[in-house]
Amino acid sequence: MSAALRRPTESGQHLRQVLFFIPAPLPVLGVVALMVGGRLSSPGWTILLAGSVAVASLLLALMVQPTPLPEGLSAEASVRRSLHRFRQISTLRIALALTPVAVGAGAAIAGGGLLPLLVALCLAWPQLVLAAPTFFTITRARRAMEAWGTRAYLWAALAQPAPVEWPFVTALAARYRTWQQEREHRNESSASGASSAAEAPDRGSEAETGYALDDSGLPDRVAVSSEEARAEPSRIIPGFPGGSGNTATTPRPVPRQPRSNRRKGPASRSGGNRPKAKN
């Protein structure tokens, strides 16, 4: 059974689908038992309703078969259509098996007892055997498809490779893995952003001044490299405080021009005291 469940073929996929729905009525039974308080007795009409629906679905599952294949199909087309029709009939039988469970649960809640649901379960679980890809089921389906003379390659179709998947479970697991990968990616992005922000703490000051500052607070265009001797600010900019203690900070004397080169005033001009001639 375990080897058949892990078989990566179409028949293994059909078997996994059927076995997935076998324990499906058990949660329904537990919920209904809690709702009715665990009582078994129920009115007769509820038991008759659940039993009649279960018997009808069982007879329908026994009688229903795939439709015959049309004439003139090639081998490849026959394989594809045979597999498609067998999938349809298997899905229909699973739905017919779950229908009495729903009707029995409603009748049990209405009657206040578990007996209608138990009757429906006794007739619903055997219907899942008819949906399983057994030798009896496959042989009957193949004969029904070949009723018009076209050969149905159903065994070859069920032997084709298929992924090992479970209904609903595989899809939910894939979504959970995708969500987990996205969450890890977001965490890595936030961690890288925080590390880059910690490595560049002075980025705001660089944006304000337009250039980076070194350790002494001077811009890069003024500061010297590490190989050269760093000059004091007072040597670069005259009068800038911060020089050594021995350096004099007194202002320099401004040299004056010689007296001979100074501009003469109006009193020193020749003929300056001479009055102007009148017209």
Side-chain angles (χ1 to χ4, degrees):
M1 180 61 68
S2 61
L5 289 176
R6 294 192 302 266
R7 188 179 303 164
T9 57
E10 291 291 342
S11 61
Q13 183 66 21
H14 281 76
L15 184 59
R16 287 187 291 271
Q17 185 177 5
V18 172
L19 292 180
F20 176 79
F21 288 101
I22 287 180
L26 295 179
V28 179
L29 180 61
V31 172
V32 174
L34 292 176
M35 294 179 66
V36 300
R39 293 187 299 271
L40 291 177
S41 60
S42 182
W45 65 272
T46 58
I47 300 173
L48 181 61
L49 176 61
S52 60
V53 173
V55 171
S57 63
L58 179 60
L59 294 177
L60 187 59
L62 288 172
M63 295 176 60
V64 68
Q65 293 296 331
T67 57
L69 295 176
E71 299 178 359
L73 290 179
S74 61
E76 293 80 5
S78 177
V79 169
R80 292 194 301 269
R81 294 201 178 188
S82 300
L83 181 59
H84 178 66
R85 297 191 179 190
F86 189 77
R87 286 176 179 172
Q88 288 181 336
I89 202 67
S90 299
T91 306
L92 178 61
R93 285 170 178 168
I94 293 174
L96 289 174
L98 296 179
T99 301
V101 178
V103 176
I109 294 173
L114 288 174
L115 197 55
L117 181 57
L118 295 177
V119 172
L121 289 178
C122 293
L123 296 176
W125 265 321
Q127 298 182 34
L128 294 174
V129 180
L130 299 176
T134 58
F135 178 82
F136 173 75
T137 304
I138 296 174
T139 303
R140 289 193 62 189
R142 182 181 61 82
R143 290 177 180 177
M145 293 180 190
E146 295 177 351
W148 290 356
T150 304
R151 187 171 181 180
Y153 298 92
L154 185 57
W155 289 102
L158 292 175
Q160 290 182 352
V164 180
E165 297 178 350
W166 291 89
F168 304 106
V169 178
T170 304
L172 293 176
R175 290 185 178 182
Y176 175 75
R177 287 193 297 268
T178 304
W179 173 78
Q180 191 174 11
Q181 292 176 0
E182 293 178 355
R183 182 182 179 184
E184 292 177 357
H185 181 69
R186 288 195 299 268
N187 293 339
E188 292 176 359
S189 300
S190 60
S192 61
S195 61
S196 61
E199 291 175 358
D202 297 335
R203 187 172 300 173
S205 61
E206 295 179 8
E208 294 176 357
T209 58
Y211 46 83
L213 302 177
D214 64 345
D215 297 338
S216 61
L218 295 176
D220 291 338
R221 60 184 182 182
V222 178
V224 297
S225 60
S226 59
E227 298 178 357
E228 301 177 0
R230 181 172 298 178
E232 295 295 335
S234 60
R235 298 181 182 180
I236 299 173
I237 304 174
F240 189 84
S244 59
N246 300 329
T247 304
T249 59
T250 59
R252 298 179 182 179
V254 180
R256 298 186 177 182
Q257 298 179 357
R259 191 175 186 80
S260 61
N261 295 334
R262 294 178 65 183
R263 187 177 180 180
K264 297 180 180 181
S268 61
R269 294 178 183 176
S270 59
N273 298 328
R274 187 175 59 183
K276 295 182 180 181
K278 296 182 179 179
N279 294 332

